[in-house]
PDB file of all heavy atoms in Angstrom:
ATOM      1  N   ALA A 745     106.244 103.959  99.177  1.00  0.00           N
ATOM      2  CA  ALA A 745     105.490 103.664 100.396  1.00  0.00           C
ATOM      3  C   ALA A 745     105.937 102.329 100.960  1.00  0.00           C
ATOM      4  O   ALA A 745     106.517 101.496 100.252  1.00  0.00           O
ATOM      5  CB  ALA A 745     103.984 103.651 100.115  1.00  0.00           C
ATOM      6  N   ALA A 746     105.651 102.136 102.235  1.00  0.00           N
ATOM      7  CA  ALA A 746     106.018 100.905 102.924  1.00  0.00           C
ATOM      8  C   ALA A 746     104.793 100.009 103.111  1.00  0.00           C
ATOM      9  O   ALA A 746     103.659 100.489 103.142  1.00  0.00           O
ATOM     10  CB  ALA A 746     106.626 101.233 104.284  1.00  0.00           C
ATOM     11  N   ASN A 747     105.045  98.732 103.244  1.00  0.00           N
ATOM     12  CA  ASN A 747     103.983  97.752 103.458  1.00  0.00           C
ATOM     13  C   ASN A 747     103.623  97.709 104.935  1.00  0.00           C
ATOM     14  O   ASN A 747     104.392  97.240 105.767  1.00  0.00           O
ATOM     15  CB  ASN A 747     104.460  96.365 102.989  1.00  0.00           C
ATOM     16  CG  ASN A 747     103.409  95.285 103.197  1.00  0.00           C
ATOM     17  OD1 ASN A 747     102.406  95.484 103.867  1.00  0.00           O
ATOM     18  ND2 ASN A 747     103.646  94.119 102.615  1.00  0.00           N
ATOM     19  N   TYR A 748     102.437  98.203 105.252  1.00  0.00           N
ATOM     20  CA  TYR A 748     101.886  98.079 106.602  1.00  0.00           C
ATOM     21  C   TYR A 748     100.606  97.253 106.482  1.00  0.00           C
ATOM     22  O   TYR A 748      99.635  97.690 105.865  1.00  0.00           O
ATOM     23  CB  TYR A 748     101.555  99.450 107.190  1.00  0.00           C
ATOM     24  CG  TYR A 748     102.733 100.261 107.689  1.00  0.00           C
ATOM     25  CD1 TYR A 748     104.042  99.978 107.303  1.00  0.00           C
ATOM     26  CD2 TYR A 748     102.537 101.326 108.554  1.00  0.00           C
ATOM     27  CE1 TYR A 748     105.115 100.716 107.769  1.00  0.00           C
ATOM     28  CE2 TYR A 748     103.610 102.077 109.025  1.00  0.00           C
ATOM     29  CZ  TYR A 748     104.896 101.767 108.627  1.00  0.00           C
ATOM     30  OH  TYR A 748     105.956 102.521 109.087  1.00  0.00           O
ATOM     31  N   TYR A 749     100.607  96.071 107.050  1.00  0.00           N
ATOM     32  CA  TYR A 749      99.431  95.198 107.022  1.00  0.00           C
ATOM     33  C   TYR A 749      98.964  94.904 105.593  1.00  0.00           C
ATOM     34  O   TYR A 749      97.778  94.892 105.286  1.00  0.00           O
ATOM     35  CB  TYR A 749      98.281  95.798 107.842  1.00  0.00           C
ATOM     36  CG  TYR A 749      98.564  95.865 109.318  1.00  0.00           C
ATOM     37  CD1 TYR A 749      99.077  97.026 109.891  1.00  0.00           C
ATOM     38  CD2 TYR A 749      98.336  94.773 110.145  1.00  0.00           C
ATOM     39  CE1 TYR A 749      99.357  97.095 111.240  1.00  0.00           C
ATOM     40  CE2 TYR A 749      98.601  94.827 111.503  1.00  0.00           C
ATOM     41  CZ  TYR A 749      99.117  95.990 112.054  1.00  0.00           C
ATOM     42  OH  TYR A 749      99.386  96.056 113.392  1.00  0.00           O
ATOM     43  N   SER A 750      99.918  94.711 104.712  1.00  0.00           N
ATOM     44  CA  SER A 750      99.667  94.312 103.317  1.00  0.00           C
ATOM     45  C   SER A 750      99.013  95.397 102.476  1.00  0.00           C
ATOM     46  O   SER A 750      98.448  95.104 101.417  1.00  0.00           O
ATOM     47  CB  SER A 750      98.837  93.021 103.251  1.00  0.00           C
ATOM     48  OG  SER A 750      99.558  91.942 103.833  1.00  0.00           O
ATOM     49  N   VAL A 751      99.078  96.635 102.934  1.00  0.00           N
ATOM     50  CA  VAL A 751      98.689  97.787 102.107  1.00  0.00           C
ATOM     51  C   VAL A 751      99.737  98.874 102.324  1.00  0.00           C
ATOM     52  O   VAL A 751     100.589  98.767 103.222  1.00  0.00           O
ATOM     53  CB  VAL A 751      97.291  98.337 102.464  1.00  0.00           C
ATOM     54  CG1 VAL A 751      96.218  97.311 102.174  1.00  0.00           C
ATOM     55  CG2 VAL A 751      97.227  98.757 103.932  1.00  0.00           C
ATOM     56  N   LEU A 752      99.688  99.919 101.517  1.00  0.00           N
ATOM     57  CA  LEU A 752     100.640 101.003 101.730  1.00  0.00           C
ATOM     58  C   LEU A 752     100.367 101.677 103.068  1.00  0.00           C
ATOM     59  O   LEU A 752      99.227 101.717 103.544  1.00  0.00           O
ATOM     60  CB  LEU A 752     100.614 102.007 100.590  1.00  0.00           C
ATOM     61  CG  LEU A 752      99.544 103.101 100.541  1.00  0.00           C
ATOM     62  CD1 LEU A 752      99.891 104.127  99.474  1.00  0.00           C
ATOM     63  CD2 LEU A 752      98.157 102.542 100.291  1.00  0.00           C
ATOM     64  N   ASN A 753     101.416 102.200 103.698  1.00  0.00           N
ATOM     65  CA  ASN A 753     101.277 102.785 105.026  1.00  0.00           C
ATOM     66  C   ASN A 753     100.326 103.976 105.024  1.00  0.00           C
ATOM     67  O   ASN A 753     100.113 104.637 104.012  1.00  0.00           O
ATOM     68  CB  ASN A 753     102.650 103.199 105.584  1.00  0.00           C
ATOM     69  CG  ASN A 753     103.315 104.287 104.756  1.00  0.00           C
ATOM     70  OD1 ASN A 753     103.827 104.030 103.677  1.00  0.00           O
ATOM     71  ND2 ASN A 753     103.308 105.517 105.252  1.00  0.00           N
ATOM     72  N   GLY A 754      99.750 104.249 106.193  1.00  0.00           N
ATOM     73  CA  GLY A 754      98.671 105.226 106.301  1.00  0.00           C
ATOM     74  C   GLY A 754      99.038 106.632 105.879  1.00  0.00           C
ATOM     75  O   GLY A 754      98.224 107.331 105.260  1.00  0.00           O
ATOM     76  N   LEU A 755     100.243 107.092 106.202  1.00  0.00           N
ATOM     77  CA  LEU A 755     100.656 108.442 105.835  1.00  0.00           C
ATOM     78  C   LEU A 755     100.685 108.612 104.322  1.00  0.00           C
ATOM     79  O   LEU A 755     100.212 109.627 103.782  1.00  0.00           O
ATOM     80  CB  LEU A 755     102.029 108.746 106.441  1.00  0.00           C
ATOM     81  CG  LEU A 755     102.624 110.125 106.195  1.00  0.00           C
ATOM     82  CD1 LEU A 755     101.709 111.224 106.736  1.00  0.00           C
ATOM     83  CD2 LEU A 755     104.005 110.232 106.843  1.00  0.00           C
ATOM     84  N   ALA A 756     101.227 107.608 103.629  1.00  0.00           N
ATOM     85  CA  ALA A 756     101.249 107.642 102.165  1.00  0.00           C
ATOM     86  C   ALA A 756      99.836 107.601 101.601  1.00  0.00           C
ATOM     87  O   ALA A 756      99.512 108.291 100.623  1.00  0.00           O
ATOM     88  CB  ALA A 756     102.073 106.478 101.624  1.00  0.00           C
ATOM     89  N   HIS A 757      98.979 106.792 102.220  1.00  0.00           N
ATOM     90  CA  HIS A 757      97.594 106.685 101.749  1.00  0.00           C
ATOM     91  C   HIS A 757      96.872 108.020 101.890  1.00  0.00           C
ATOM     92  O   HIS A 757      96.165 108.465 100.960  1.00  0.00           O
ATOM     93  CB  HIS A 757      96.861 105.588 102.531  1.00  0.00           C
ATOM     94  CG  HIS A 757      95.653 105.056 101.847  1.00  0.00           C
ATOM     95  ND1 HIS A 757      94.491 105.788 101.715  1.00  0.00           N
ATOM     96  CD2 HIS A 757      95.412 103.867 101.251  1.00  0.00           C
ATOM     97  CE1 HIS A 757      93.588 105.060 101.068  1.00  0.00           C
ATOM     98  NE2 HIS A 757      94.121 103.891 100.765  1.00  0.00           N
ATOM     99  N   CYS A 758      97.049 108.683 103.035  1.00  0.00           N
ATOM    100  CA  CYS A 758      96.408 109.984 103.233  1.00  0.00           C
ATOM    101  C   CYS A 758      96.897 110.995 102.202  1.00  0.00           C
ATOM    102  O   CYS A 758      96.101 111.765 101.639  1.00  0.00           O
ATOM    103  CB  CYS A 758      96.692 110.496 104.644  1.00  0.00           C
ATOM    104  SG  CYS A 758      95.826 109.607 105.949  1.00  0.00           S
ATOM    105  N   PHE A 759      98.198 111.005 101.950  1.00  0.00           N
ATOM    106  CA  PHE A 759      98.773 111.906 100.947  1.00  0.00           C
ATOM    107  C   PHE A 759      98.120 111.691  99.589  1.00  0.00           C
ATOM    108  O   PHE A 759      97.708 112.648  98.922  1.00  0.00           O
ATOM    109  CB  PHE A 759     100.277 111.666 100.875  1.00  0.00           C
ATOM    110  CG  PHE A 759     100.994 112.457  99.813  1.00  0.00           C
ATOM    111  CD1 PHE A 759     101.341 113.782 100.030  1.00  0.00           C
ATOM    112  CD2 PHE A 759     101.343 111.869  98.606  1.00  0.00           C
ATOM    113  CE1 PHE A 759     102.027 114.512  99.057  1.00  0.00           C
ATOM    114  CE2 PHE A 759     102.023 112.586  97.635  1.00  0.00           C
ATOM    115  CZ  PHE A 759     102.358 113.913  97.858  1.00  0.00           C
ATOM    116  N   LEU A 760      97.992 110.449  99.169  1.00  0.00           N
ATOM    117  CA  LEU A 760      97.431 110.158  97.852  1.00  0.00           C
ATOM    118  C   LEU A 760      95.918 110.364  97.817  1.00  0.00           C
ATOM    119  O   LEU A 760      95.369 110.747  96.773  1.00  0.00           O
ATOM    120  CB  LEU A 760      97.802 108.732  97.438  1.00  0.00           C
ATOM    121  CG  LEU A 760      99.292 108.540  97.100  1.00  0.00           C
ATOM    122  CD1 LEU A 760      99.625 107.061  96.953  1.00  0.00           C
ATOM    123  CD2 LEU A 760      99.669 109.300  95.846  1.00  0.00           C
ATOM    124  N   GLU A 761      95.241 110.134  98.929  1.00  0.00           N
ATOM    125  CA  GLU A 761      93.802 110.434  98.981  1.00  0.00           C
ATOM    126  C   GLU A 761      93.536 111.901  98.668  1.00  0.00           C
ATOM    127  O   GLU A 761      92.545 112.242  98.012  1.00  0.00           O
ATOM    128  CB  GLU A 761      93.241 110.145 100.381  1.00  0.00           C
ATOM    129  CG  GLU A 761      92.915 108.699 100.670  1.00  0.00           C
ATOM    130  CD  GLU A 761      92.234 108.550 102.022  1.00  0.00           C
ATOM    131  OE1 GLU A 761      91.617 109.521 102.506  1.00  0.00           O
ATOM    132  OE2 GLU A 761      92.319 107.450 102.589  1.00  0.00           O
ATOM    133  N   ARG A 762      94.431 112.741  99.108  1.00  0.00           N
ATOM    134  CA  ARG A 762      94.220 114.183  98.953  1.00  0.00           C
ATOM    135  C   ARG A 762      94.426 114.654  97.518  1.00  0.00           C
ATOM    136  O   ARG A 762      94.135 115.815  97.188  1.00  0.00           O
ATOM    137  CB  ARG A 762      95.122 114.941  99.926  1.00  0.00           C
ATOM    138  CG  ARG A 762      94.842 114.617 101.394  1.00  0.00           C
ATOM    139  CD  ARG A 762      93.664 115.363 101.936  1.00  0.00           C
ATOM    140  NE  ARG A 762      94.004 116.752 102.097  1.00  0.00           N
ATOM    141  CZ  ARG A 762      94.715 117.230 103.135  1.00  0.00           C
ATOM    142  NH1 ARG A 762      95.115 116.429 104.097  1.00  0.00           N
ATOM    143  NH2 ARG A 762      94.973 118.512 103.201  1.00  0.00           N
ATOM    144  N   PHE A 763      94.868 113.751  96.645  1.00  0.00           N
ATOM    145  CA  PHE A 763      94.900 114.056  95.212  1.00  0.00           C
ATOM    146  C   PHE A 763      93.487 114.219  94.657  1.00  0.00           C
ATOM    147  O   PHE A 763      93.309 114.677  93.527  1.00  0.00           O
ATOM    148  CB  PHE A 763      95.634 112.953  94.449  1.00  0.00           C
ATOM    149  CG  PHE A 763      97.133 113.072  94.451  1.00  0.00           C
ATOM    150  CD1 PHE A 763      97.823 113.540  95.560  1.00  0.00           C
ATOM    151  CD2 PHE A 763      97.868 112.697  93.342  1.00  0.00           C
ATOM    152  CE1 PHE A 763      99.211 113.630  95.560  1.00  0.00           C
ATOM    153  CE2 PHE A 763      99.252 112.781  93.325  1.00  0.00           C
ATOM    154  CZ  PHE A 763      99.923 113.257  94.436  1.00  0.00           C
ATOM    155  N   TYR A 764      92.501 113.858  95.450  1.00  0.00           N
ATOM    156  CA  TYR A 764      91.102 114.024  95.037  1.00  0.00           C
ATOM    157  C   TYR A 764      90.816 115.470  94.636  1.00  0.00           C
ATOM    158  O   TYR A 764      89.961 115.740  93.776  1.00  0.00           O
ATOM    159  CB  TYR A 764      90.182 113.596  96.181  1.00  0.00           C
ATOM    160  CG  TYR A 764      88.715 113.607  95.855  1.00  0.00           C
ATOM    161  CD1 TYR A 764      88.186 112.818  94.823  1.00  0.00           C
ATOM    162  CD2 TYR A 764      87.826 114.398  96.589  1.00  0.00           C
ATOM    163  CE1 TYR A 764      86.831 112.824  94.540  1.00  0.00           C
ATOM    164  CE2 TYR A 764      86.469 114.409  96.312  1.00  0.00           C
ATOM    165  CZ  TYR A 764      85.980 113.623  95.282  1.00  0.00           C
ATOM    166  OH  TYR A 764      84.633 113.626  95.000  1.00  0.00           O
ATOM    167  N   GLN A 765      91.537 116.395  95.228  1.00  0.00           N
ATOM    168  CA  GLN A 765      91.322 117.816  94.941  1.00  0.00           C
ATOM    169  C   GLN A 765      91.574 118.182  93.479  1.00  0.00           C
ATOM    170  O   GLN A 765      91.079 119.209  93.006  1.00  0.00           O
ATOM    171  CB  GLN A 765      92.217 118.678  95.829  1.00  0.00           C
ATOM    172  CG  GLN A 765      93.704 118.520  95.558  1.00  0.00           C
ATOM    173  CD  GLN A 765      94.563 119.324  96.524  1.00  0.00           C
ATOM    174  OE1 GLN A 765      94.617 120.551  96.454  1.00  0.00           O
ATOM    175  NE2 GLN A 765      95.224 118.626  97.437  1.00  0.00           N
ATOM    176  N   PHE A 766      92.320 117.344  92.767  1.00  0.00           N
ATOM    177  CA  PHE A 766      92.687 117.672  91.391  1.00  0.00           C
ATOM    178  C   PHE A 766      91.699 117.124  90.350  1.00  0.00           C
ATOM    179  O   PHE A 766      91.864 117.379  89.161  1.00  0.00           O
ATOM    180  CB  PHE A 766      94.077 117.118  91.071  1.00  0.00           C
ATOM    181  CG  PHE A 766      95.166 117.631  91.971  1.00  0.00           C
ATOM    182  CD1 PHE A 766      95.808 116.783  92.854  1.00  0.00           C
ATOM    183  CD2 PHE A 766      95.550 118.969  91.938  1.00  0.00           C
ATOM    184  CE1 PHE A 766      96.823 117.244  93.687  1.00  0.00           C
ATOM    185  CE2 PHE A 766      96.556 119.447  92.766  1.00  0.00           C
ATOM    186  CZ  PHE A 766      97.187 118.582  93.647  1.00  0.00           C
ATOM    187  N   ARG A 767      90.691 116.395  90.788  1.00  0.00           N
ATOM    188  CA  ARG A 767      89.888 115.604  89.850  1.00  0.00           C
ATOM    189  C   ARG A 767      88.614 116.298  89.364  1.00  0.00           C
ATOM    190  O   ARG A 767      87.960 115.799  88.446  1.00  0.00           O
ATOM    191  CB  ARG A 767      89.494 114.278  90.510  1.00  0.00           C
ATOM    192  CG  ARG A 767      90.655 113.337  90.718  1.00  0.00           C
ATOM    193  CD  ARG A 767      90.257 112.133  91.581  1.00  0.00           C
ATOM    194  NE  ARG A 767      89.041 111.493  91.149  1.00  0.00           N
ATOM    195  CZ  ARG A 767      88.950 110.563  90.200  1.00  0.00           C
ATOM    196  NH1 ARG A 767      90.043 110.195  89.550  1.00  0.00           N
ATOM    197  NH2 ARG A 767      87.801 110.008  89.882  1.00  0.00           N
ATOM    198  N   HIS A 768      88.223 117.396  89.939  1.00  0.00           N
ATOM    199  CA  HIS A 768      86.893 117.947  89.680  1.00  0.00           C
ATOM    200  C   HIS A 768      86.808 118.729  88.377  1.00  0.00           C
ATOM    201  O   HIS A 768      87.767 119.360  87.941  1.00  0.00           O
ATOM    202  CB  HIS A 768      86.469 118.842  90.848  1.00  0.00           C
ATOM    203  CG  HIS A 768      86.557 118.149  92.172  1.00  0.00           C
ATOM    204  ND1 HIS A 768      85.818 117.041  92.484  1.00  0.00           N
ATOM    205  CD2 HIS A 768      87.347 118.381  93.247  1.00  0.00           C
ATOM    206  CE1 HIS A 768      86.124 116.630  93.703  1.00  0.00           C
ATOM    207  NE2 HIS A 768      87.054 117.419  94.181  1.00  0.00           N
ATOM    208  N   GLN A 769      85.613 118.693  87.780  1.00  0.00           N
ATOM    209  CA  GLN A 769      85.317 119.455  86.568  1.00  0.00           C
ATOM    210  C   GLN A 769      86.406 119.269  85.510  1.00  0.00           C
ATOM    211  O   GLN A 769      86.920 120.240  84.931  1.00  0.00           O
ATOM    212  CB  GLN A 769      85.144 120.943  86.918  1.00  0.00           C
ATOM    213  CG  GLN A 769      84.047 121.177  87.954  1.00  0.00           C
ATOM    214  CD  GLN A 769      83.733 122.633  88.149  1.00  0.00           C
ATOM    215  OE1 GLN A 769      83.405 123.333  87.189  1.00  0.00           O
ATOM    216  NE2 GLN A 769      83.812 123.110  89.381  1.00  0.00           N
ATOM    217  N   GLU A 770      86.734 118.016  85.295  1.00  0.00           N
ATOM    218  CA  GLU A 770      87.727 117.646  84.294  1.00  0.00           C
ATOM    219  C   GLU A 770      89.069 118.340  84.544  1.00  0.00           C
ATOM    220  O   GLU A 770      89.744 118.790  83.614  1.00  0.00           O
ATOM    221  CB  GLU A 770      87.213 117.960  82.878  1.00  0.00           C
ATOM    222  CG  GLU A 770      85.937 117.198  82.537  1.00  0.00           C
ATOM    223  CD  GLU A 770      85.464 117.457  81.122  1.00  0.00           C
ATOM    224  OE1 GLU A 770      86.268 117.943  80.305  1.00  0.00           O
ATOM    225  OE2 GLU A 770      84.292 117.164  80.834  1.00  0.00           O
ATOM    226  N   GLY A 771      89.457 118.414  85.806  1.00  0.00           N
ATOM    227  CA  GLY A 771      90.735 119.019  86.161  1.00  0.00           C
ATOM    228  C   GLY A 771      91.884 118.318  85.458  1.00  0.00           C
ATOM    229  O   GLY A 771      91.942 117.093  85.395  1.00  0.00           O
ATOM    230  N   LYS A 772      92.816 119.088  84.927  1.00  0.00           N
ATOM    231  CA  LYS A 772      93.902 118.538  84.112  1.00  0.00           C
ATOM    232  C   LYS A 772      95.276 118.670  84.767  1.00  0.00           C
ATOM    233  O   LYS A 772      96.294 118.447  84.110  1.00  0.00           O
ATOM    234  CB  LYS A 772      93.931 119.256  82.750  1.00  0.00           C
ATOM    235  CG  LYS A 772      92.641 119.169  81.958  1.00  0.00           C
ATOM    236  CD  LYS A 772      92.314 117.729  81.555  1.00  0.00           C
ATOM    237  CE  LYS A 772      91.080 117.672  80.680  1.00  0.00           C
ATOM    238  NZ  LYS A 772      90.714 116.275  80.326  1.00  0.00           N
ATOM    239  N   ALA A 773      95.319 119.001  86.048  1.00  0.00           N
ATOM    240  CA  ALA A 773      96.610 119.274  86.688  1.00  0.00           C
ATOM    241  C   ALA A 773      97.548 118.076  86.672  1.00  0.00           C
ATOM    242  O   ALA A 773      98.768 118.234  86.607  1.00  0.00           O
ATOM    243  CB  ALA A 773      96.394 119.741  88.129  1.00  0.00           C
ATOM    244  N   LEU A 774      97.004 116.865  86.724  1.00  0.00           N
ATOM    245  CA  LEU A 774      97.832 115.661  86.786  1.00  0.00           C
ATOM    246  C   LEU A 774      97.707 114.773  85.554  1.00  0.00           C
ATOM    247  O   LEU A 774      98.517 113.860  85.372  1.00  0.00           O
ATOM    248  CB  LEU A 774      97.467 114.830  88.023  1.00  0.00           C
ATOM    249  CG  LEU A 774      97.435 115.547  89.378  1.00  0.00           C
ATOM    250  CD1 LEU A 774      97.135 114.549  90.487  1.00  0.00           C
ATOM    251  CD2 LEU A 774      98.732 116.274  89.647  1.00  0.00           C
ATOM    252  N   VAL A 775      96.724 115.020  84.740  1.00  0.00           N
ATOM    253  CA  VAL A 775      96.419 114.135  83.615  1.00  0.00           C
ATOM    254  C   VAL A 775      97.583 114.044  82.636  1.00  0.00           C
ATOM    255  O   VAL A 775      98.138 115.061  82.200  1.00  0.00           O
ATOM    256  CB  VAL A 775      95.156 114.617  82.877  1.00  0.00           C
ATOM    257  CG1 VAL A 775      94.929 113.789  81.613  1.00  0.00           C
ATOM    258  CG2 VAL A 775      93.944 114.520  83.791  1.00  0.00           C
ATOM    259  N   GLY A 776      97.977 112.816  82.315  1.00  0.00           N
ATOM    260  CA  GLY A 776      99.024 112.589  81.335  1.00  0.00           C
ATOM    261  C   GLY A 776     100.433 112.635  81.878  1.00  0.00           C
ATOM    262  O   GLY A 776     101.392 112.400  81.134  1.00  0.00           O
ATOM    263  N   LYS A 777     100.577 112.923  83.168  1.00  0.00           N
ATOM    264  CA  LYS A 777     101.913 112.916  83.747  1.00  0.00           C
ATOM    265  C   LYS A 777     102.375 111.475  83.973  1.00  0.00           C
ATOM    266  O   LYS A 777     101.595 110.525  83.846  1.00  0.00           O
ATOM    267  CB  LYS A 777     101.927 113.711  85.051  1.00  0.00           C
ATOM    268  CG  LYS A 777     101.673 115.206  84.815  1.00  0.00           C
ATOM    269  CD  LYS A 777     101.827 116.036  86.071  1.00  0.00           C
ATOM    270  CE  LYS A 777     101.616 117.508  85.759  1.00  0.00           C
ATOM    271  NZ  LYS A 777     101.844 118.389  86.938  1.00  0.00           N
ATOM    272  N   LEU A 778     103.649 111.319  84.303  1.00  0.00           N
ATOM    273  CA  LEU A 778     104.231 109.987  84.455  1.00  0.00           C
ATOM    274  C   LEU A 778     104.524 109.702  85.917  1.00  0.00           C
ATOM    275  O   LEU A 778     104.742 110.604  86.720  1.00  0.00           O
ATOM    276  CB  LEU A 778     105.527 109.882  83.650  1.00  0.00           C
ATOM    277  CG  LEU A 778     105.433 110.182  82.155  1.00  0.00           C
ATOM    278  CD1 LEU A 778     106.805 110.061  81.502  1.00  0.00           C
ATOM    279  CD2 LEU A 778     104.438 109.248  81.482  1.00  0.00           C
ATOM    280  N   GLY A 779     104.524 108.409  86.267  1.00  0.00           N
ATOM    281  CA  GLY A 779     104.796 108.026  87.638  1.00  0.00           C
ATOM    282  C   GLY A 779     105.586 106.736  87.731  1.00  0.00           C
ATOM    283  O   GLY A 779     105.534 105.888  86.836  1.00  0.00           O
ATOM    284  N   VAL A 780     106.327 106.611  88.806  1.00  0.00           N
ATOM    285  CA  VAL A 780     107.040 105.389  89.163  1.00  0.00           C
ATOM    286  C   VAL A 780     106.589 104.996  90.564  1.00  0.00           C
ATOM    287  O   VAL A 780     106.524 105.852  91.457  1.00  0.00           O
ATOM    288  CB  VAL A 780     108.569 105.594  89.138  1.00  0.00           C
ATOM    289  CG1 VAL A 780     109.282 104.412  89.787  1.00  0.00           C
ATOM    290  CG2 VAL A 780     109.053 105.794  87.711  1.00  0.00           C
ATOM    291  N   ALA A 781     106.279 103.734  90.763  1.00  0.00           N
ATOM    292  CA  ALA A 781     105.825 103.235  92.058  1.00  0.00           C
ATOM    293  C   ALA A 781     106.959 102.482  92.753  1.00  0.00           C
ATOM    294  O   ALA A 781     107.584 101.609  92.148  1.00  0.00           O
ATOM    295  CB  ALA A 781     104.619 102.326  91.881  1.00  0.00           C
ATOM    296  N   VAL A 782     107.207 102.831  94.006  1.00  0.00           N
ATOM    297  CA  VAL A 782     108.282 102.231  94.788  1.00  0.00           C
ATOM    298  C   VAL A 782     107.688 101.584  96.030  1.00  0.00           C
ATOM    299  O   VAL A 782     106.955 102.235  96.786  1.00  0.00           O
ATOM    300  CB  VAL A 782     109.314 103.301  95.199  1.00  0.00           C
ATOM    301  CG1 VAL A 782     110.348 102.709  96.163  1.00  0.00           C
ATOM    302  CG2 VAL A 782     109.999 103.888  93.969  1.00  0.00           C
ATOM    303  N   GLY A 783     107.992 100.315  96.242  1.00  0.00           N
ATOM    304  CA  GLY A 783     107.462  99.601  97.395  1.00  0.00           C
ATOM    305  C   GLY A 783     108.559  99.026  98.266  1.00  0.00           C
ATOM    306  O   GLY A 783     109.596  98.588  97.758  1.00  0.00           O
ATOM    307  N   VAL A 784     108.325  99.023  99.571  1.00  0.00           N
ATOM    308  CA  VAL A 784     109.279  98.478 100.538  1.00  0.00           C
ATOM    309  C   VAL A 784     108.507  97.697 101.591  1.00  0.00           C
ATOM    310  O   VAL A 784     107.405  98.094 101.990  1.00  0.00           O
ATOM    311  CB  VAL A 784     110.093  99.604 101.212  1.00  0.00           C
ATOM    312  CG1 VAL A 784     110.917  99.065 102.376  1.00  0.00           C
ATOM    313  CG2 VAL A 784     111.004 100.286 100.203  1.00  0.00           C
ATOM    314  N   GLY A 785     109.079  96.597 102.033  1.00  0.00           N
ATOM    315  CA  GLY A 785     108.453  95.843 103.104  1.00  0.00           C
ATOM    316  C   GLY A 785     109.397  94.817 103.679  1.00  0.00           C
ATOM    317  O   GLY A 785     110.302  94.340 102.991  1.00  0.00           O
ATOM    318  N   GLY A 786     109.192  94.492 104.954  1.00  0.00           N
ATOM    319  CA  GLY A 786     109.946  93.395 105.536  1.00  0.00           C
ATOM    320  C   GLY A 786     109.617  92.103 104.830  1.00  0.00           C
ATOM    321  O   GLY A 786     110.453  91.228 104.636  1.00  0.00           O
ATOM    322  N   GLY A 787     108.366  91.982 104.422  1.00  0.00           N
ATOM    323  CA  GLY A 787     107.876  90.907 103.569  1.00  0.00           C
ATOM    324  C   GLY A 787     106.909  91.510 102.574  1.00  0.00           C
ATOM    325  O   GLY A 787     106.287  92.539 102.839  1.00  0.00           O
ATOM    326  N   MET A 788     106.776  90.929 101.437  1.00  0.00           N
ATOM    327  CA  MET A 788     105.856  91.373 100.385  1.00  0.00           C
ATOM    328  C   MET A 788     105.995  92.865 100.058  1.00  0.00           C
ATOM    329  O   MET A 788     105.031  93.632 100.163  1.00  0.00           O
ATOM    330  CB  MET A 788     104.417  91.043 100.767  1.00  0.00           C
ATOM    331  CG  MET A 788     104.144  89.567 100.937  1.00  0.00           C
ATOM    332  SD  MET A 788     102.403  89.193 101.268  1.00  0.00           S
ATOM    333  CE  MET A 788     102.208  89.901 102.907  1.00  0.00           C
TER     334      MET A 788
END
């Protein structure tokens, strides 16, 4: 994601917000998986 106003850009935020669908009733679709975070910005 890119740095927009010192937070991740809105499109990326909306995408990750929608991961909420996986969390209910002890949903295991994502649990225990691995991730790498990539950041880009003109500054910070």
Side-chain angles (χ1 to χ4, degrees):
N747 179 349
Y748 283 18
Y749 293 95
S750 297
V751 296
L752 82 169
N753 63 285
L755 181 59
H757 201 289
C758 289
F759 176 81
L760 290 169
E761 279 186 24
R762 299 280 288 281
F763 277 36
Y764 185 60
Q765 66 184 288
F766 301 113
R767 291 171 49 85
H768 306 298
Q769 303 189 56
E770 299 183 18
K772 302 296 184 182
L774 309 183
V775 174
K777 294 186 178 184
L778 303 179
V780 168
V782 173
V784 171
M788 298 184 292

